[in-house]
Each structure stands twice: as structure tokens, then as C-alpha cells.
Amino acid sequence: MSDCVFCKIVDGKIPSNKVYEDEKVLAFYDIEPKAPVHFLVVPKQHISGAGDINGQNSGIIAHIYEVIARVAGEMNLTSYRVVTNNGTDAGQTVFHLHSHVLAGRVLGGMA
Ligand code: AMP
Ligand code: ZN
């Protein structure tokens, strides 16, 4: 998608601080970290958000969680939070599916 910031990062048109990459996903550090460790995992294919997951594309979700477990393990993270915001009212600002991975401090309760 030409006007999507994460598609531009995937295509290398916008630089990112990469954590992990394979043929299906890219992980990179969030530009405005909310915790000492804060990276994002995005599918290389443009999917607008969690609300666009269906029977055809849901395999990417399993893969994203596999990547999170692998990267978190490599970083020796035992506690971390995985967050996906869907929709403006939930705080989604980039409409390309992404999982936030937050760690490195006591994160407290949710919502
Ligand atoms: P959300 O608000 O859940 O849609 O999350 C979007 C996240 O993308 C925010 O935490 C932003 O800080 C992050 N972000 C936006 N642009 C960039 C960028 N160019 N590189 C890294 N992270 C970004
Ligand atoms: Zn995109």
C-alpha cells in the first residue's frame, strides 16, 4: 500500500531499527518506545488490522507469535506484553497490522 508507513518500512523506503526479518514478517524497534524494550512485528503483506484477519490470512498470526517467542527468547525476556490495537478508539494509529512487544519494566494492569 503506497501511503502506508509500515509498507514503506517493509520496502526499505523508510529506515527502521530491525530486530528480525524473514520472508513473511519484519520486526523493528518502535520509534516512540513505551517501555525499555518495545518492538513491533508486522506482516510484510499489508493487512489493515486485526479486524481484517480471516480464514485466508490467519496463518500469519501464528507465525507472528512464533517470531515473538523466538526474538523474546534471544533477548532473554521472560515477561513481556503483546498488544494489538484495532481501530482508532482502541489507539490504532498505523493501519497496517502490528503486534507491539513491550518489556523491561513492571507493566502493571491492563485497561
Ligand atoms: P498503534 O498506535 O497501535 O497503531 O501503533 C503504532 C506504533 O507505530 C506507535 O507505537 C508508533 O510509535 C510506531 N511508529 C510509527 N511510525 C514508526 C516508524 N517510522 N518506525 C517505528 N515505529 C513507528
Ligand atoms: Zn501497509
Side-chain angles (χ1 to χ4, degrees):
M1 233 193 166
S2 58
D3 62 346
C4 170
V5 63
F6 287 175
C7 282
K8 287 180 182 167
I9 287 175
V10 166
D11 291 344
K13 292 172 184 156
I14 294 177
S16 68
N17 192 357
K18 276 184 206 177
V19 171
Y20 173 89
E21 181 171 16
D22 64 25
E23 72 282 359
K24 292 183 207 153
V25 302
L26 179 67
F28 51 95
Y29 285 104
D30 197 290
I31 204 168
E32 288 181 37
K34 312 298 187 298
V37 178
H38 185 179
F39 63 88
L40 306 171
V41 186
V42 312
K44 289 191 168 178
Q45 175 196 1
H46 181 87
I47 298 169
S48 295
D52 288 307
I53 295 297
N54 56 48
Q56 308 304 311
N57 63 17
S58 58
I60 195 67
I61 301 300
H63 187 65
I64 285 170
Y65 273 81
E66 285 179 38
V67 167
I68 290 169
R70 175 176 168 171
V71 172
E74 287 170 1
M75 292 180 174
N76 294 313
L77 303 176
T78 49
S79 293
Y80 54 89
R81 179 172 290 160
V82 182
V83 174
T84 297
N85 298 318
N86 187 75
T88 308
D89 286 356
Q92 187 177 7
T93 58
V94 177
F95 288 82
H96 179 130
L97 180 68
H98 52 282
S99 295
H100 297 259
V101 181
L102 300 139
R105 64 169 168 82
V106 176
L107 292 164
M110 278 292 293

